[in-house]
Amino acid sequence: MADRADDRHDVWLDGAHAGTLHRARGGDVTFAYAASYQALRAAPSLSVSMPRHVTEHAPEVTMPWIDNLLPDNDAVRARWAAQFDERRPTAFNLLRHMGADCAGAVQVVPAGEQPQDGAGSTPLAEAEIAAHLRELRADDSSWAFEQHGGRFSLGGQQGKFALARGADGSWHQPTGRGASTHIFKIGVDGVAHSAAAELVTMRAARALGLSVASVESAWFEDQAAVVVERFDRLAADGSRARRLHQEDMCQALGLWRSAKYESDGGPGVRDVAQLVARAVDRRDLARSRDDLARAVVLNWVAAGTDAHAKNLALLHVGARTVLAPLYDLVSASLLWPADEVRYKARLAMKLGGEYRLRALGARHLERAAADLGVDAVWLADVAVSYATAWPDTVRDAAAGEHDLLPGDVAGQFVDRAAARGADVVRALRVRAGGGEASARPGGATWVPAHERAGRSVVGHWRTHPGR
């Protein structure tokens, strides 16, 4: 299908017509809200970067926003363009075909159509899911169940696909009307056990008290998958799942996907924290700010080297905005040898002005606290708590996953987590009174857990007399 000089797509948000995308003759795409949507009292904006009280939005924000609805993987985009006979794999062209089930509550359809006009979903047998997992492992650009007319679009780089789970546990391929509820992942191509590392990292993070999307492993014949429950779906008993609107930080800041890493000109910790302070509802701001700070610390402790701006999101529920649960967490400390993590790993966002894990210490954490707008003493407490608990939470998260994670690999995960946790505690230590303790802002020092007179003493902060 040849590109048209002038074209329109309708954008629907949670079942309401939000507005229209318009592509001009030169290829620029703009967005205009529908007056009926602007009149709604408690509806979210399409994006923080495109507030609904402003009717028309220019290409500078519209085009990056819709581009971020699609996979980062250019091979997937090229495959879709070829499948639908599109001359160019632009976001506008591809969303015409694959926009019926995007991230959040967004549905993009050709102008004049309603997303519920299409068929709802196709039941899938275990053998069909297994066959598609094999196909995806052979070619990680094969995201969609093309033979069933799958119509979903997700961001990200690694191979994945989205399905809906019925109340009876059966799996279905949504084709437009119904919303997908779960995302299937097989890991990063060429990185052994990366899917298992994501499963373990997500579970460990949840055990540490962070808000994290639910995750499980599943087998279909001889094929394993990590299955993530979508936090942007609200399942009602016996009825179709409702879409909840969300957007990643690149979308909220009006940035292209190429700027997802800070080193490529993307946002840093301070930028994200300022966005949260500006966008989140006042009633939820303290919690969202603390959740962001915990996520930043976790990515340091776990060596989350791919924790870029597209792996953080805002969740819009009506007119209320909060920081979304965490997703796509993968600890490099589980996959890489300890020395490689220690001396070569770099964070996706600077912590207190530093990328390199080997260079990070207490002073960087204190600077990060200022960037995040949180108390430095509290953030140091979080860091020590996470670092000391990391090996045990990894061990518990890996337990019971013997089919996905062989015993020797699970043991390696735990050993590497222990080495990483020790590195973080060591990075926080300073010499104090001839011994080693962790520097706490405000003049206290961290005393690690130890034995005294045959009794166990838990780790604790010690305040120096006279302070």
Side-chain angles (χ1 to χ4, degrees):
M1 181 184 296
D3 292 346
R4 290 187 286 269
D6 190 343
D7 211 348
R8 297 175 185 269
H9 295 337
D10 283 337
V11 178
W12 293 71
L13 212 58
D14 191 22
H17 180 223
T20 301
L21 294 168
H22 172 253
R23 183 175 61 186
R25 183 175 300 276
D28 284 349
V29 179
T30 58
F31 175 75
Y33 281 104
S36 58
Y37 190 80
Q38 288 180 304
L40 295 176
R41 293 187 60 186
S45 297
L46 187 61
S47 172
V48 172
S49 63
M50 292 186 283
R52 72 187 182 109
H53 67 268
V54 178
T55 300
E56 296 187 5
H57 294 275
E60 289 75 18
V61 291
T62 302
M63 294 176 72
W65 197 89
I66 64 171
D67 185 73
N68 278 298
L69 292 174
L70 291 164
D72 292 358
N73 190 326
D74 287 330
V76 177
R77 297 184 181 212
R79 184 187 183 108
W80 288 355
Q83 177 186 348
F84 296 113
D85 196 25
E86 291 287 357
R87 183 165 58 84
R88 294 188 297 136
T90 64
F92 191 90
N93 286 347
L94 297 181
L95 286 171
R96 177 186 296 121
H97 311 281
M98 301 300 289
D101 190 29
C102 296
V106 176
Q107 294 177 278
V108 180
V109 296
E113 293 186 15
Q114 295 188 13
Q116 58 265 36
D117 286 344
S121 63
T122 302
L124 292 173
E126 178 179 350
E128 292 178 290
I129 298 176
H132 192 61
L133 287 167
R134 292 188 194 99
E135 182 182 1
L136 192 60
R137 286 190 162 94
D139 177 2
D140 68 357
S141 71
S142 178
W143 284 31
F145 279 77
E146 293 168 1
Q147 68 273 32
H148 291 302
R151 295 291 186 271
F152 72 89
S153 182
L154 296 168
Q157 183 70 29
Q158 65 169 291
K160 66 185 77 170
F161 56 87
L163 298 179
R165 181 152 64 185
D168 60 355
S170 60
W171 292 105
H172 303 259
Q173 170 64 67
T175 56
R177 183 172 59 194
S180 58
T181 60
H182 291 72
I183 298 170
F184 284 58
K185 296 184 172 186
I186 60 169
V188 179
D189 185 35
V191 181
H193 309 298
S194 60
E198 179 170 349
L199 175 81
V200 170
T201 305
M202 298 269 283
R203 284 183 175 172
R206 173 170 281 203
L208 289 172
L210 288 91
S211 176
V212 182
S214 296
V215 62
E216 62 188 274
S217 62
W219 285 82
F220 301 89
E221 295 183 344
D222 61 338
Q223 295 295 304
V226 168
V227 182
V228 183
E229 184 176 1
R230 297 187 66 153
F231 62 80
D232 57 349
R233 300 292 183 263
L234 183 63
D237 293 339
S239 63
R240 191 182 308 136
R242 176 189 170 189
R243 293 173 169 91
L244 300 177
H245 190 40
Q246 68 94 45
E247 60 174 334
D248 66 50
M249 294 299 179
C250 279
Q251 290 177 301
L253 289 166
L255 300 174
W256 292 90
R257 61 188 164 113
S258 58
K260 63 184 180 181
Y261 290 101
E262 185 177 2
S263 59
D264 292 331
V269 167
R270 180 185 289 271
D271 301 310
V272 174
Q274 289 176 344
L275 172 65
V276 167
R278 186 172 71 251
V280 167
D281 189 280
R282 297 294 104 184
R283 294 166 289 182
D284 306 301
L285 181 55
R287 176 61 185 270
S288 288
R289 182 185 283 128
D290 286 356
D291 284 349
L292 175 62
R294 291 187 183 98
V296 168
V297 170
L298 174 78
N299 283 316
W300 176 35
V301 170
T305 57
D306 203 43
H308 50 68
K310 284 182 66 64
N311 284 342
L312 288 167
L314 296 172
L315 184 63
H316 306 290
V317 183
R320 193 165 178 170
T321 296
V322 298
L323 188 71
L326 300 177
Y327 55 96
D328 287 356
L329 299 175
V330 183
S331 169
S333 74
L334 308 183
L335 294 169
W336 301 354
D339 281 350
E340 189 170 346
V341 173
R342 186 177 298 128
Y343 297 116
K344 295 183 179 180
R346 293 165 56 90
L347 295 174
M349 291 185 187
K350 291 179 182 177
L351 182 74
E354 179 58 69
Y355 288 117
R356 301 166 300 163
L357 293 191
R358 71 177 183 272
L360 287 167
R363 71 183 186 278
H364 299 98
L365 194 64
E366 192 163 2
R367 292 173 192 159
D371 290 339
L372 290 158
V374 299
D375 181 71
V377 171
W378 172 80
L379 197 64
D381 285 343
V382 171
V384 173
S385 172
Y386 286 4
T388 53
W390 182 239
D392 288 339
T393 55
V394 166
R395 178 183 292 108
D396 293 344
E401 294 292 342
H402 306 299
D403 292 335
L404 183 68
L405 198 58
D408 59 332
V409 179
Q412 187 177 70
F413 274 17
V414 175
D415 290 344
R416 289 175 172 178
R420 178 63 196 146
D423 278 353
V424 173
V425 171
R426 192 177 301 115
L428 291 169
R429 284 178 178 167
V430 294
R431 292 285 174 180
E436 285 191 348
S438 297
R440 184 194 200 196
T445 55
W446 174 259
V447 180
H450 61 280
E451 296 284 334
R452 179 186 297 163
R455 299 179 62 184
S456 296
V457 178
V458 298
H460 61 279
W461 291 107
R462 181 176 63 207
T463 304
H464 296 294
R467 292 186 178 177

